[in-house]
Every structure is written in structure tokens, then in C-alpha cells.
């Protein structure tokens, strides 16, 4: 069974710089797709965000990275091996 990595959306996978808009998600960050593709080979990836589920799902689909994501949640999973967040660990 693959271990779980929870990744924050804003500031990690996108170019968010603090200008929050509830109905808009910043463009994908350079290298994010390759990062997720590589991680998904060995880990189950969850997006951990406070953003609205359908907006996040649409953004993941539009950026062709939904295939690497196992879940979108705003609840911390106690089985997560590591959390990647722009306020903690950057890639």
C-alpha cells in the first residue's frame, strides 16, 4: 500500500502570492505537473485545501493533473506521511 502525501494547493502547486479570490485559483506553478507525476509513482497524493471542492477539481482537470490526485479534502488525514505546504516545506 502506498503512503499518503497531503499537498496544499495555494502557493505550492500554483502561483498564489496571498491575493485570495474565492472563485479563482492562480495559474499552475512551473514544474508542478512533473513533481506530481514523479510523486504519484510511489505515493498516494491528497490535495489538502480550504477551497471549494468543485473549483479545485475543475482546476486540476484543466491543468491535466487530476490523474495524479487520489483525493481533495479540507480534513487532515491522520495516516498522512508528510504534509507539503508553502508555509512549511517548499519543493
Amino acid at each position: 500500500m502506498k503512503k499518503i502525501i497531503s499537498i496544499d494547493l495555494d502557493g505550492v502547486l500554483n502561483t498564489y502570492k496571498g491575493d485570495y479570490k474565492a472563485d479563482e485559483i492562480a495559474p499552475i506553478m512551473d514544474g508542478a505537473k512533473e513533481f506530481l507525476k514523479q510523486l504519484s509513482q510511489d505515493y498516494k497524493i491528497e490535495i489538502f485545501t480550504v477551497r471549494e471542492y468543485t473549483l479545485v477539481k475543475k482546476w486540476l482537470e484543466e491543468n491535466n493533473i487530476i490523474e495524479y490526485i487520489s483525493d481533495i479534502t479540507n480534513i487532515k488525514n491522520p495516516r498522512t506521511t508528510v504534509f507539503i505546504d508553502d508555509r512549511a516545506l517548499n519543493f
Side-chain angles (χ1 to χ4, degrees):
M1 181 152 103
K2 289 184 177 181
K3 292 183 178 182
I4 300 168
I5 292 182
S6 293
I7 302 176
D8 182 31
L9 178 63
D10 289 325
V12 178
L13 298 179
N14 66 30
T15 59
Y16 173 79
K17 300 283 189 220
D19 186 23
Y20 182 82
K21 296 176 184 163
D23 60 346
E24 184 179 316
I25 299 177
I28 192 167
M29 187 176 289
D30 289 340
K33 183 174 183 175
E34 294 78 10
F35 173 70
L36 291 172
K37 182 178 180 180
Q38 186 175 354
L39 275 181
S40 70
Q41 293 173 15
D42 298 312
Y43 298 93
K44 208 173 140 182
I45 301 171
E46 295 181 349
I47 300 300
F48 178 70
T49 183
V50 296
R51 288 193 175 268
E52 199 272 321
Y53 177 89
T54 56
L55 180 66
V56 174
K57 185 174 184 233
K58 180 180 176 191
W59 185 88
L60 293 169
E61 289 169 345
E62 289 173 349
N63 287 285
N64 299 313
I65 55 177
I66 191 79
E67 67 186 282
Y68 307 120
I69 308 304
S70 65
D71 195 14
I72 302 165
T73 184
N74 64 354
I75 299 169
K76 286 189 177 180
N77 185 340
R79 294 184 324 236
T80 293
T81 300
V82 67
F83 288 90
I84 300 175
D85 189 292
D86 57 318
R87 296 183 184 140
L89 177 64
N90 292 315
F91 71 93

